[in-house]
Amino acid sequence: MSTAELTETPKLGPLYLKAAATAPLRRGDPARAELPDTEYVRSDVPVDSEHLADYNRICGFGTRDELPLTYPHVTSFPLAVRLMTDRGFPFPLVGLVHVANSITRHEPLLVTDTLTQRVRLAGPRPHPKGTQFDVVTETGVGGRTVWTETSTYLHRGPENDSAPRQEGIAEVEAGRPTASWKLPGDLGRRYAAVSGDRNPIHLRPLAAKAFGFPRAIAHGMWSAARCLAAFEGRLPAACTVDVEFAKPVLLPSRVEFTERGAPDSAEKSFALHSTAGKTHLRGRVRRNGTENAA
């Protein structure tokens, strides 16, 4: 694997234009697809306090010395887009479906930390509905890797009944919600302004309809962040959070958050449902064995 050190954060505007212009060229045989063997590294990344405050507001986090568990996803997102718009990347960026996410935190990140982030691709591998691959991110402080993430994306293709089916996260029964949240119609645009993720399905109803959705839909990582904000102050210092994204959250709408598990248990389950009981997201929080592992 080759490593490329970037001296500045990639600008997303030109990358999105590149993705649109090259989309017709990225339609080869998924069964023969290969991912670029490159890792991008960005060092000395400071935490922008104003940007962090905006992120906290839109996702429901309070003001704390610790960074929200999901915040490094946002700071590394331009590196991921850079990888997925490189010449050798086989799939069109628009149309990829974020199906799952897993974050492991070895120790809390602080607002005063300066980050080093490394992003690479893994896979591809068959999925019953096409081909999936991972964006793998590592965030370090002072030479220690303290936060890792695997974002799994699906490129839709022909049905593949022979693809292995992995055991997913257990369902959390709808009903008796822990909290209920009313989501405004402009939530996708507001989160896009903070996260940089300007996929058109999140921005306007007409753009979403072009991709088969009746209205704009919320970002999956906003949904994950909003659920984790409900755990704020109660997440173990060392933990792993896994989420799977199911039915999209249409905007505007009302959603119901449900948490299950004893206060002192090593694992808790959670879910986000529609008021009609459809699952938008299911997840689990697991306490890691060593709180201060490096």
Side-chain angles (χ1 to χ4, degrees), residues 273-293:
H273 295 104
S274 70
T275 54
K278 294 181 179 179
T279 302
H280 295 305
L281 175 154
R282 50 187 169 265
R284 64 183 171 225
V285 178
R286 292 174 288 160
R287 182 171 63 240
N288 293 346
T290 303
E291 292 281 299
N292 295 313

Side-chain angles (χ1 to χ4, degrees), residues 130-289:
T131 304
Q132 63 182 355
F133 66 94
D134 300 321
V135 177
V136 181
T137 304
E138 298 177 355
T139 297
V141 175
R144 310 184 315 280
T145 298
V146 298
W147 184 98
T148 60
E149 176 190 43
T150 300
S151 292
T152 301
Y153 291 88
L154 170 67
H155 169 67
R156 292 188 181 277
E159 298 284 335
N160 185 356
D161 293 334
S162 64
R165 296 178 181 270
Q166 297 181 344
E167 182 178 352
I169 299 172
E171 290 283 356
V172 174
E173 185 179 354
R176 298 185 295 119
T178 309
S180 178
W181 303 317
K182 185 178 180 180
L183 311 185
D186 66 347
L187 176 62
R189 296 191 292 276
R190 291 168 56 201
Y191 183 76
V194 172
S195 68
D197 185 350
R198 297 185 180 277
N199 189 322
I201 61 177
H202 303 301
L203 304 180
R204 303 283 178 182
L206 286 178
K209 286 180 180 180
F211 291 90
F213 300 101
R215 306 194 298 274
I217 66 174
H219 295 73
M221 286 306 293
W222 177 88
S223 299
R226 186 64 188 89
C227 289
L228 292 177
F231 286 95
E232 192 166 30
R234 298 184 293 123
L235 289 177
C239 63
T240 295
V241 174
D242 303 308
V243 298
E244 294 174 350
F245 304 110
K247 296 288 185 182
V249 177
L250 299 177
L251 299 173
S253 65
R254 180 175 289 278
V255 294
E256 296 180 343
F257 168 75
T258 303
E259 175 188 342
R260 295 286 182 264
D264 59 347
S265 63
E267 180 172 323
K268 294 185 179 182
S269 300
F270 62 95
L272 198 65
H273 295 104
S274 70
T275 54
K278 294 181 179 179
T279 302
H280 295 305
L281 175 154
R282 50 187 169 265
R284 64 183 171 225
V285 178
R286 292 174 288 160
R287 182 171 63 240
N288 293 346

